[in-house]
């Protein structure tokens, strides 16, 4: 019996009407897991391809392993091409503003009638409620959902340093899609799955909402937080280098004291329990700071690792290109117009193996011809659609 296994979603057909981050992040998870994801781009290509500044990395990171088809969706012929693709799809993903897909003729009601088994995934700013028709952005919902307040300084809210809500909202979209697909095995009927930015942000800060109920007072920003542990912060070591250290259990405290020869602390029974150590933090931290200031970063990290203590160097994204852990199989060589970008793969393993790059980042309309062939169009029909500028193809070979 062969032990070879394919990716688990290889039999899944996905049609993606998305741009920016949230929608593409949903599609790339499914694509990395083997789904055949066909990205429907405007006739001139997704504008996300041409973003600069902090948006320059959106397209390369969230559109690998997908096929690109450029279609004029406002033309009758282009709409018919898209409908033919949707008719055979298992999943449709869209992240346009409320009402946009309906205006184009691709709303959920019409598409579920066309394809009753279709899982229709909408990625929006808000779920059903008073805000449902508002336009939102990752940063907007970080601000209104309390995450920017918790991330920043007391008088200066700050967004998180990544599109965390877009990305996680997309992941919740995937969870909804997979649950609906599981149900479809028994019902044969699809569902309309919606994930949103604001409610994702609220889910993130739910722990702080619960904290307020438990402690009876509103939590301060994490920058001035009252830590649950006595040692849980960034320490300065030699040569102005820094390391984060977290001693988060009574057992780790014993290992920590043994490794760094803190015999006085180890013998003091008033420090045996975490909550008691927190009360004596002002006594503990100065000793640790003085100790670590005499050690270079590598020596400190080696000793922390030997003792099994959680620690981290203070890295930048640039440092990750050379990270030994990621370079052991966690980076995928994605081709961009500017050169190859080694980018993080999906952060899961299947039978001990990471997902791979099976379709490089597509150029605009790179797969138009093949997708139309697969959909049953003749070479003559494809040529006519290209000539009429209903679709754009990189090549007709």
């Amino acid at each position: 019996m062969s032990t070879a296994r394919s990716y688990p979603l290889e039999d899944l057909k996905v049609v993606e009407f998305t741009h920016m981050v949230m929608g593409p992040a949903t599609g790339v998870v499914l694509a990395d897991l083997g789904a055949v994801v066909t990205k429907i781009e405007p006739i001139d290509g997704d504008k996300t391809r041409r973003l600069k500044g902090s948006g320059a990395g959106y397209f390369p990171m969230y559109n690998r392993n997908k096929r690109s088809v450029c279609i004029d969706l406002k033309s009758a012929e282009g709409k018919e091409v898209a409908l033919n693709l949707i008719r055979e799809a298992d999943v449709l993903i869209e992240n346009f503003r409320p009402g946009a897909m309906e205006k184009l003729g691709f709303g959920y009601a019409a598409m579920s009638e066309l394809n009753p088994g279709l899982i229709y995934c909408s990625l929006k700013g808000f779920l059903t409620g008073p805000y449902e028709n508002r336009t939102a952005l990752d940063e907007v919902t970080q601000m209104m959902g309390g995450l920017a307040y918790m991330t920043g300084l007391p008088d200066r809210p700050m967004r998180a340093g990544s599109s965390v809500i877009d990305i996680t909202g997309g992941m919740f979209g995937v969870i909804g899609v997979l649950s609906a697909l599981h149900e479809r095995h028994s019902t044969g009927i699809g569902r309309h799955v919606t994930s949103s930015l604001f409610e994702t942000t609220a889910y993130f800060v739910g722990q702080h909402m619960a904290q307020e109920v438990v402690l009876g007072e509103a939590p301060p920003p994490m920058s001035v937080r009252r830590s649950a542990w006595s040692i849980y912060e960034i320490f300065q070591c030699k040569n102005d280098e820094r390391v984060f250290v977290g001693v988060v259990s009574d057992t780790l405290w014993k290992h920590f004291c043994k490794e760094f020869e803190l015999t006085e602390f180890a013998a003091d029974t008033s420090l045996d329990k975490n909550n008691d150590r927190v009360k004596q933090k002002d006594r503990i931290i100065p000793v640790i700071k003085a100790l670590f200031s005499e050690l270079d970063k590598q020596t400190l990290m080696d000793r922390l690792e030997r003792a099994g203590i959680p620690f981290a160097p203070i890295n930048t994204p640039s440092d990750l290109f050379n990270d030994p852990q990621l370079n052991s199989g966690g980076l995928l060589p994605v081709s961009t117009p500017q050169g190859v970008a080694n980018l993080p793969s999906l952060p899961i393993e299947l039978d001990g193996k990471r997902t791979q790059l099976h379709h490089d980042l597509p150029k605009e309309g790179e797969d138009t011809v093949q997708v139309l062939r697969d959909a049953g169009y003749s070479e003559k029909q494809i040529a006519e659609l290209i000539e009429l500028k209903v679709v754009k193809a990189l090549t007709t070979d």
Side-chain angles (χ1 to χ4, degrees), residues 138-162 164-165 201 205 221-223:
D138 184 298
E139 193 153 339
V140 166
T141 58
Q142 286 198 39
M143 295 292 175
M144 70 184 296
L147 182 59
Y149 170 80
M150 291 304 301
T151 302
L153 301 171
D155 60 347
R156 188 182 178 187
M158 298 180 187
R159 63 160 287 159
S162 170
V164 292
I165 303 303
T201 310
V205 302
M222 293 290 278
S223 59

Short mmCIF file of all heavy atoms in Angstrom, two decimals, residues 138-162 164-165 201 205 221-223:
data_model
loop_
_atom_site.label_atom_id
_atom_site.label_comp_id
_atom_site.label_asym_id
_atom_site.label_seq_id
_atom_site.Cartn_x
_atom_site.Cartn_y
_atom_site.Cartn_z
N ASP A 138 -8.17 47.37 8.18
CA ASP A 138 -7.50 46.74 9.32
C ASP A 138 -7.24 47.77 10.42
O ASP A 138 -7.60 47.57 11.58
CB ASP A 138 -6.18 46.12 8.84
CG ASP A 138 -5.44 45.36 9.92
OD1 ASP A 138 -5.05 45.97 10.93
OD2 ASP A 138 -5.21 44.15 9.75
N GLU A 139 -6.63 48.90 10.06
CA GLU A 139 -6.26 49.89 11.06
C GLU A 139 -7.49 50.54 11.70
O GLU A 139 -7.49 50.85 12.90
CB GLU A 139 -5.36 50.96 10.45
CG GLU A 139 -4.69 51.84 11.48
CD GLU A 139 -3.39 52.43 11.00
OE1 GLU A 139 -2.78 51.88 10.06
OE2 GLU A 139 -2.96 53.44 11.58
N VAL A 140 -8.55 50.74 10.91
CA VAL A 140 -9.79 51.30 11.45
C VAL A 140 -10.31 50.43 12.58
O VAL A 140 -10.67 50.92 13.67
CB VAL A 140 -10.85 51.43 10.33
CG1 VAL A 140 -12.23 51.68 10.92
CG2 VAL A 140 -10.48 52.56 9.37
N THR A 141 -10.37 49.13 12.34
CA THR A 141 -10.96 48.25 13.37
C THR A 141 -10.00 48.01 14.53
O THR A 141 -10.45 47.75 15.65
CB THR A 141 -11.43 46.92 12.76
OG1 THR A 141 -10.34 46.25 12.13
CG2 THR A 141 -12.55 47.17 11.75
N GLN A 142 -8.70 48.09 14.28
CA GLN A 142 -7.77 48.04 15.41
C GLN A 142 -8.01 49.21 16.36
O GLN A 142 -7.92 49.06 17.58
CB GLN A 142 -6.32 48.05 14.92
CG GLN A 142 -5.84 46.76 14.31
CD GLN A 142 -4.33 46.66 14.22
OE1 GLN A 142 -3.63 47.08 15.14
NE2 GLN A 142 -3.83 46.11 13.13
N MET A 143 -8.30 50.38 15.78
CA MET A 143 -8.57 51.56 16.60
C MET A 143 -9.90 51.42 17.35
O MET A 143 -9.96 51.61 18.57
CB MET A 143 -8.61 52.82 15.72
CG MET A 143 -7.29 53.17 15.06
SD MET A 143 -6.03 53.69 16.25
CE MET A 143 -4.59 53.85 15.16
N MET A 144 -10.97 51.08 16.64
CA MET A 144 -12.28 51.05 17.28
C MET A 144 -12.50 49.80 18.13
O MET A 144 -13.37 49.78 19.00
CB MET A 144 -13.40 51.20 16.23
CG MET A 144 -13.60 50.02 15.32
SD MET A 144 -14.87 50.37 14.06
CE MET A 144 -16.33 50.59 15.06
N GLY A 145 -11.71 48.77 17.90
CA GLY A 145 -11.85 47.53 18.66
C GLY A 145 -10.96 47.45 19.89
O GLY A 145 -10.96 46.43 20.59
N GLY A 146 -10.18 48.51 20.17
CA GLY A 146 -9.38 48.52 21.39
C GLY A 146 -7.99 47.93 21.26
O GLY A 146 -7.19 48.00 22.20
N LEU A 147 -7.66 47.33 20.09
CA LEU A 147 -6.35 46.71 19.96
C LEU A 147 -5.25 47.76 19.90
O LEU A 147 -4.18 47.59 20.50
CB LEU A 147 -6.31 45.82 18.72
CG LEU A 147 -5.00 45.06 18.48
CD1 LEU A 147 -4.68 44.15 19.67
CD2 LEU A 147 -5.07 44.24 17.20
N ALA A 148 -5.49 48.86 19.19
CA ALA A 148 -4.48 49.93 19.11
C ALA A 148 -4.22 50.53 20.49
O ALA A 148 -3.08 50.86 20.84
CB ALA A 148 -4.93 51.00 18.12
N TYR A 149 -5.28 50.67 21.28
CA TYR A 149 -5.12 51.17 22.65
C TYR A 149 -4.26 50.22 23.47
O TYR A 149 -3.34 50.64 24.19
CB TYR A 149 -6.49 51.33 23.31
CG TYR A 149 -6.42 51.62 24.79
CD1 TYR A 149 -6.15 52.90 25.25
CD2 TYR A 149 -6.60 50.59 25.73
CE1 TYR A 149 -6.07 53.17 26.62
CE2 TYR A 149 -6.52 50.85 27.09
CZ TYR A 149 -6.25 52.13 27.53
OH TYR A 149 -6.16 52.40 28.87
N MET A 150 -4.52 48.91 23.36
CA MET A 150 -3.77 47.94 24.14
C MET A 150 -2.33 47.79 23.66
O MET A 150 -1.44 47.41 24.41
CB MET A 150 -4.46 46.58 24.10
CG MET A 150 -5.79 46.52 24.84
SD MET A 150 -5.69 47.01 26.59
CE MET A 150 -4.50 45.83 27.23
N THR A 151 -2.09 48.10 22.38
CA THR A 151 -0.74 47.95 21.81
C THR A 151 0.15 49.15 22.11
O THR A 151 1.35 49.01 22.30
CB THR A 151 -0.84 47.76 20.28
OG1 THR A 151 -1.65 46.62 20.00
CG2 THR A 151 0.53 47.58 19.65
N GLY A 152 -0.45 50.34 22.15
CA GLY A 152 0.34 51.56 22.24
C GLY A 152 0.68 52.00 23.65
O GLY A 152 0.57 51.25 24.63
N LEU A 153 1.07 53.28 23.74
CA LEU A 153 1.34 53.92 25.02
C LEU A 153 0.03 54.52 25.54
O LEU A 153 -0.93 54.67 24.79
CB LEU A 153 2.40 55.01 24.83
CG LEU A 153 3.74 54.52 24.26
CD1 LEU A 153 4.63 55.70 23.91
CD2 LEU A 153 4.44 53.61 25.26
N PRO A 154 -0.02 54.88 26.83
CA PRO A 154 -1.29 55.37 27.38
C PRO A 154 -1.91 56.52 26.61
O PRO A 154 -3.13 56.62 26.50
CB PRO A 154 -0.89 55.78 28.80
CG PRO A 154 0.26 54.90 29.15
CD PRO A 154 1.02 54.73 27.86
N ASP A 155 -1.10 57.41 26.09
CA ASP A 155 -1.63 58.56 25.37
C ASP A 155 -1.40 58.47 23.86
O ASP A 155 -1.56 59.45 23.14
CB ASP A 155 -1.00 59.85 25.90
CG ASP A 155 0.52 59.87 25.75
OD1 ASP A 155 1.09 58.79 25.47
OD2 ASP A 155 1.13 60.93 25.91
N ARG A 156 -1.01 57.28 23.40
CA ARG A 156 -0.69 57.15 21.97
C ARG A 156 -1.05 55.75 21.48
O ARG A 156 -0.22 54.85 21.48
CB ARG A 156 0.79 57.42 21.72
CG ARG A 156 1.14 57.48 20.24
CD ARG A 156 2.62 57.71 20.04
NE ARG A 156 2.97 57.72 18.63
CZ ARG A 156 4.21 57.76 18.16
NH1 ARG A 156 5.23 57.81 18.99
NH2 ARG A 156 4.44 57.75 16.86
N PRO A 157 -2.30 55.56 21.04
CA PRO A 157 -2.66 54.24 20.48
C PRO A 157 -1.84 53.94 19.25
O PRO A 157 -1.53 54.84 18.45
CB PRO A 157 -4.15 54.41 20.14
CG PRO A 157 -4.37 55.88 20.04
CD PRO A 157 -3.41 56.52 20.99
N MET A 158 -1.46 52.69 19.07
CA MET A 158 -0.64 52.28 17.93
C MET A 158 -1.19 51.00 17.33
O MET A 158 -1.51 50.07 18.07
CB MET A 158 0.81 52.02 18.36
CG MET A 158 1.54 53.20 18.93
SD MET A 158 3.23 52.74 19.41
CE MET A 158 3.78 54.23 20.22
N ARG A 159 -1.28 50.95 16.02
CA ARG A 159 -1.68 49.72 15.38
C ARG A 159 -0.58 48.67 15.55
O ARG A 159 0.60 49.01 15.72
CB ARG A 159 -1.96 49.93 13.89
CG ARG A 159 -0.76 50.37 13.08
CD ARG A 159 -0.98 50.07 11.60
NE ARG A 159 -0.87 48.65 11.33
CZ ARG A 159 -1.39 48.06 10.26
NH1 ARG A 159 -2.06 48.76 9.37
NH2 ARG A 159 -1.26 46.75 10.07
N ALA A 160 -0.95 47.42 15.52
CA ALA A 160 0.04 46.35 15.55
C ALA A 160 0.92 46.44 14.31
O ALA A 160 0.50 46.98 13.27
CB ALA A 160 -0.65 45.00 15.63
N GLY A 161 2.13 45.92 14.38
CA GLY A 161 3.09 46.07 13.29
C GLY A 161 2.93 45.11 12.14
O GLY A 161 3.90 44.76 11.47
N SER A 162 1.72 44.65 11.90
CA SER A 162 1.40 43.77 10.78
C SER A 162 -0.09 43.91 10.53
O SER A 162 -0.83 44.44 11.37
CB SER A 162 1.75 42.32 11.12
OG SER A 162 1.24 41.42 10.15
N VAL A 164 -2.54 42.26 11.13
CA VAL A 164 -2.95 41.09 11.90
C VAL A 164 -4.45 40.81 11.81
O VAL A 164 -4.88 39.65 11.85
CB VAL A 164 -2.52 41.21 13.38
CG1 VAL A 164 -1.03 41.13 13.52
CG2 VAL A 164 -3.06 42.49 14.00
N ILE A 165 -5.26 41.86 11.70
CA ILE A 165 -6.70 41.66 11.66
C ILE A 165 -7.12 41.17 10.28
O ILE A 165 -7.95 40.25 10.16
CB ILE A 165 -7.45 42.94 12.05
CG1 ILE A 165 -6.99 43.41 13.44
CG2 ILE A 165 -8.95 42.72 12.04
CD1 ILE A 165 -7.18 42.40 14.54
N THR A 201 -11.25 41.75 15.64
CA THR A 201 -10.53 42.57 16.62
C THR A 201 -11.11 42.38 18.01
O THR A 201 -10.37 42.24 19.00
CB THR A 201 -10.61 44.05 16.23
OG1 THR A 201 -10.25 44.23 14.87
CG2 THR A 201 -9.66 44.89 17.09
N VAL A 205 -9.29 41.11 21.62
CA VAL A 205 -9.21 41.81 22.91
C VAL A 205 -10.17 41.21 23.93
O VAL A 205 -10.29 41.74 25.04
CB VAL A 205 -9.47 43.33 22.75
CG1 VAL A 205 -8.47 43.95 21.79
CG2 VAL A 205 -10.90 43.61 22.32
N PRO A 221 -2.87 49.72 28.82
CA PRO A 221 -2.17 49.20 27.64
C PRO A 221 -1.08 48.21 28.02
O PRO A 221 -0.50 48.28 29.12
CB PRO A 221 -1.58 50.46 26.99
CG PRO A 221 -2.46 51.57 27.45
CD PRO A 221 -2.88 51.19 28.85
N MET A 222 -0.77 47.29 27.11
CA MET A 222 0.25 46.28 27.39
C MET A 222 1.62 46.91 27.61
O MET A 222 2.49 46.31 28.25
CB MET A 222 0.32 45.27 26.24
CG MET A 222 -0.93 44.41 26.11
SD MET A 222 -1.11 43.22 27.47
CE MET A 222 -0.02 41.91 26.93
N SER A 223 1.83 48.12 27.10
CA SER A 223 3.12 48.79 27.29
C SER A 223 3.36 49.15 28.75
O SER A 223 4.51 49.37 29.16
CB SER A 223 3.19 50.05 26.42
OG SER A 223 2.13 50.94 26.75
#
